[in-house]
C-alpha cells in the first residue's frame, strides 16, 4: 500500500550481496525510487554473479559501487562518503557470509568497510537470504543475535520454497514488504504500544449458496489505516470482509464474510484493544432465511425478506469497557448533519465523514473529522495520506 513520495528527500544505500534473491533487489530499488528516495547501489563481487550492475544503474540513474579502490568519488573515499548523506543502509539480500562479516567488524571490501565507517545517522537494515540449513546453523543464530544487539533492524527471512529446492526459513522478504519495513522505519511511532482493531471492506450476506447481498466498498480506506497504524508502531488486527487486497505487512488479518461473523470477530477482540476503528461498510440488513439450495429462476418475481444486522460499532461503543471508538459516515448529502448525528447517536469521540461521491471505492478520499471540538476538514489526498492524518488526529485525542 503506497503513498506518493513518502521517501522524498531520503537517500538510501541499497547493498546487494551474492544470493539468488539479488534479482529481486532490482524491483526493490524501483519501489524505493517510486516513493521518492535517492537510491545508491553497492554490490559485492559475489552479487555480480547473480545480477548486472547495468540493471541497477538504469533503474537508479546513479553509478553502481563495488570496488573499495574506486576513484570515481571526488575524494576517492567511497567507503566513507557513500553513507554520509544516507539515512539508511539496506542490505538485501544479506548472505550468511555478509552477516558474519558485519558481526566481526571486518573491512575487506567496499560493503563491509561502509558498514564499519557508517555513522549513527545512517541506520542499518538487513534482509537475510540463505539456504534454510545455513539459517538454522548455530553460528548464524549467534551472529543474528549479535547483529540485532548492535542495533541492526532485521527484516525476515521469510519461509517457503527455496531456489535449492528445499522448503523452510531463509527466503528474502518480498520487495513490497521490504519497502513497507523501510517506510515503517521512517514513520514516527505515534501509536507505539497501542492495540488497534479495525473493520474494513464490505460484508456479504448470503441469499443462497452462490449469491450474496453486498456493496461497493473496496476496503482500501480500512487497509490504509491498518497499514499506517502498523507503521506508526501499533499492534493491529484487521477484521476484513471480502476484498481483493493484500494483507498489510505487520498486521494480523481475520477474514470474515457476513455482518454476523464480523460482529462475532469484533466482540471477541475489542476488550483487548485501545482503539476500535469501524471502517467496514457493514450491510444493515441480511436475508432472513438464506436458502440452503440454489434458488431456481422458476417464479416471475422474487422477494427476499431482510432483517436488521447488529450495529457492530454502536454495540462496542455502548459497553462499559469500550475502547476509543472511531466511526465512518459515508453520506450522499448533508454530511455535517448526518456525521455529527452519528457521532452523538453512537456516542463516539470521533467520526470520519465523507461524501460517497468523494471516496467510496476510489484511490483518493476527501474527508472531514468530527470530534467534540467541531469539524476538521482534510484536503483530498490518496487514502494512505488520509489514513496517516486520521491516525495523527486519533493519537492527539488519545493524549488529551
Ligand atoms: N457500522 C457497524 N455495523 C453496522 C453498520 C455500521 O459497525 N451494522 C459502522 C460502520 O463501520 C461505520 C458506521 O458504523 O463506522 C456507519 O454508521 P451507520 O449509521 O451505520 O451508517 P449507515 O449504514 O450508512 O447508516 P444510514 O443508513 O443511517 O446512513
Amino acid at each position: 500500500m503506497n503513498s506518493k513520495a513518502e521517501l522524498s528527500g531520503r537517500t538510501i544505500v541499497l547493498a546487494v550481496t551474492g544470493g539468488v534473491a539479488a534479482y529481486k533487489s532490482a524491483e526493490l530499488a524501483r519501489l524505493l525510487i517510486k516513493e521518492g528516495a535517492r537510491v545508491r547501489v553497492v554490490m559485492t563481487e559475489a552479487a555480480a554473479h547473480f545480477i548486472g550492475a547495468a540493471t541497477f544503474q538504469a533503474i537508479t540513474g546513479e553509478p553502481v559501487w563495488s570496488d573499495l579502490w574506486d576513484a570515481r568519488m571526488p575524494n576517492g573515499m567511497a567507503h566513507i562518503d557513500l553513507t554520509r548523506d544516507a539515512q539508511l543502509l539496506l542490505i538485501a539480500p544479506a548472505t550468511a557470509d555478509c552477516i558474519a562479516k558485519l558481526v566481526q567488524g571486518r573491512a575487506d571490501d567496499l560493503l563491509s568497510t561502509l558498514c564499519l565507517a557508517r555513522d549513527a545517522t545512517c541506520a542499518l537494515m538487513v534482509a537475510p537470504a540463505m539456504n534454510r540449513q545455513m539459517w538454522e546453523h548455530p553460528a548464524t543464530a549467534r551472529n543474528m543475535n549479535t547483529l540485532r544487539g548492535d542495533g541492526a533492524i532485521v527484516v525476515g527471512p521469510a519461509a517457503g520454497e527455496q531456489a535449492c529446492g528445499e522448503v523452510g526459513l531463509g527466503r528474502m522478504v518480498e520487495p513490497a514488504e521490504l519497502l513497507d519495513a523501510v517506510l515503517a522505519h521512517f514513520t514516527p511511532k505515534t501509536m507505539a504500544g497501542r492495540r488497534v482493531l479495525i473493520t474494513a471492506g464490505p460484508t456479504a450476506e448470503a441469499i443462497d449458496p452462490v449469491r450474496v447481498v453486498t456493496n461497493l466498498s473496496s476496503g482500501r480506506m480500512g487497509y490504509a489505516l491498518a497499514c499506517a497504524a502498523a507503521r506508526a508502531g501499533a499492534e493491529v488486527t484487521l477484521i476484513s470482509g471480502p476484498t481483493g487486497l493484500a494483507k498489510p505487512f505487520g498486521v494480523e488479518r481475520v477474514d470474515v464474510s457476513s455482518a454476523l461473523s464480523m460482529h462475532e470477530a469484533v466482540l471477541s477482540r475489542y476488550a483487548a484493544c485501545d482503539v476500535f476503528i469501524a471502517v467496514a461498510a457493514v450491510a444493515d440488513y441480511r436475508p432472513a432465511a438464506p436458502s440452503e439450495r440454489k434458488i431456481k429462476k422458476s417464479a416471475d418475481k422474487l422477494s427476499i425478506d431482510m432483517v436488521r444486522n447488529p450495529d457492530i460499532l454502536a454495540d462496542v461503543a455502548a459497553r462499559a469497557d469500550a475502547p476509543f471508538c472511531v466511526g465512518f459516515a459515508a453520506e450522499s448529502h448533508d454530511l455535517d448533519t448526518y456525521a455529527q448525528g452519528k457521532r452523538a447517536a453512537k456516542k463516539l469521540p470521533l467520526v470520519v465523514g465523507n461524501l460517497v461521491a468523494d471516496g467510496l471505492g476510489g484511490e483518493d478520499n476527501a474527508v472531514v473529522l468530527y470530534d467534540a471540538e467541531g469539524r476538521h476538514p482534510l484536503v483530498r489526498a490518496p487514502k494512505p495520506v488520509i489514513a496517516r492524518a486520521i491516525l495523527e488526529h486519533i493519537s492527539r485525542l488519545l493524549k488529551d
Side-chain angles (χ1 to χ4, degrees):
M1 201 148 299
N2 298 347
S3 56
K4 288 198 178 83
E6 204 155 347
L7 297 177
S8 114
R10 310 266 188 204
T11 298
I12 295 172
V13 174
L14 172 62
V16 184
T17 70
V20 193
Y23 77 93
K24 294 186 183 175
S25 305
E27 170 70 359
L28 176 58
R30 196 186 67 80
L31 294 175
L32 292 168
I33 283 173
K34 225 174 115 192
E35 291 293 337
R38 175 187 186 198
V39 177
R40 308 183 87 182
V41 174
V42 171
M43 290 173 68
T44 60
E45 219 181 297
H49 289 282
F50 294 93
I51 188 163
T55 304
F56 288 111
Q57 195 165 322
I59 291 173
T60 62
E62 299 256 357
V64 172
W65 304 85
S66 36
D67 182 4
L68 185 54
W69 310 107
D70 198 320
R72 286 175 297 171
M73 200 62 92
N75 65 357
M77 299 261 187
H79 68 286
I80 292 179
D81 285 359
L82 273 171
T83 58
R84 280 299 178 260
D85 58 353
Q87 292 77 48
L88 182 69
L89 169 55
L90 167 59
I91 311 182
T95 59
D97 180 59
C98 159
I99 290 163
K101 276 167 82 167
L102 290 183
V103 167
Q104 287 176 7
R106 302 264 298 275
D108 60 358
D109 62 6
L110 179 59
L111 175 57
S112 54
T113 314
L114 263 180
C115 288
L116 214 54
R118 175 181 60 92
D119 68 26
T121 58
C122 180
L124 176 64
M125 186 179 282
V126 176
M130 64 197 75
N131 163 273
R132 71 177 174 90
Q133 306 266 32
M134 293 169 86
W135 175 252
E136 283 162 15
H137 196 285
T140 305
R142 233 178 8 248
N143 287 341
M144 291 311 301
N145 277 339
T146 310
L147 192 64
R148 287 193 183 95
D150 286 350
I153 305 156
V154 178
V155 186
E161 238 173 66
Q162 303 203 301
C164 53
E166 295 180 18
V167 178
L169 265 180
R171 285 169 58 93
M172 186 176 87
V173 165
E174 293 299 325
E177 294 191 348
L178 279 173
L179 172 70
D180 243 308
V182 171
L183 292 170
H185 169 70
F186 287 116
T187 304
K189 298 292 171 273
T190 51
M191 299 291 282
R194 307 272 190 205
R195 290 156 305 170
V196 178
L197 183 65
I198 299 175
T199 62
T203 62
E205 311 298 324
I207 297 171
D208 71 10
V210 295
R211 299 179 180 98
V212 293
V213 178
T214 186
N215 59 64
L216 293 177
S217 164
S218 66
R220 281 198 194 99
M221 194 63 237
Y223 274 59
L225 271 163
C227 184
R231 281 182 194 161
E235 199 182 295
V236 184
T237 305
L238 176 64
I239 315 273
S240 176
T243 73
L245 302 174
K247 183 181 89 64
F249 189 59
V251 166
E252 187 206 350
R253 185 175 70 183
V254 179
D255 290 317
V256 296
S257 177
S258 64
L260 288 181
S261 58
M262 185 174 275
H263 188 221
E264 200 183 309
V266 168
L267 287 192
S268 63
R269 289 171 178 83
Y270 82 88
C273 290
D274 308 301
V275 180
F276 174 46
I277 314 178
V279 198
V282 184
D284 291 324
Y285 298 90
R286 67 177 183 279
S291 168
E292 276 179 22
R293 295 180 161 197
K294 189 178 164 201
I295 300 171
K296 290 295 187 187
K297 54 177 177 303
S298 41
D300 283 344
K301 274 190 174 177
L302 176 70
S303 305
I304 299 170
D305 201 18
M306 308 277 275
V307 291
R308 278 289 286 271
N309 270 325
D311 188 318
I312 303 170
L313 175 59
D315 186 350
V316 171
R319 294 182 182 230
D321 58 349
F324 182 93
C325 288
V326 182
F328 271 66
E331 308 293 342
S332 60
H333 58 285
D334 294 336
L335 180 59
D336 284 354
T337 314
Y338 284 121
Q340 291 284 25
K342 278 176 192 177
R343 202 177 85 79
K346 299 194 190 188
K347 299 193 174 56
L348 306 172
L350 180 65
V351 162
V352 182
N354 73 285
L355 289 168
V356 269
D358 280 339
L360 198 75
E363 300 273 351
D364 290 5
N365 208 351
V367 305
V368 182
L369 309 184
Y370 300 88
D371 61 19
E373 273 162 19
R375 68 193 294 283
H376 314 269
L378 301 181
V379 288
R380 165 173 286 283
K383 285 178 177 174
V385 176
I386 296 285
R388 272 209 306 278
I390 294 171
L391 281 171
E392 274 162 26
H393 199 87
I394 293 174
S395 80
R396 269 199 303 276
L397 293 179
L398 286 172
K399 274 192 212 127
D400 289 349

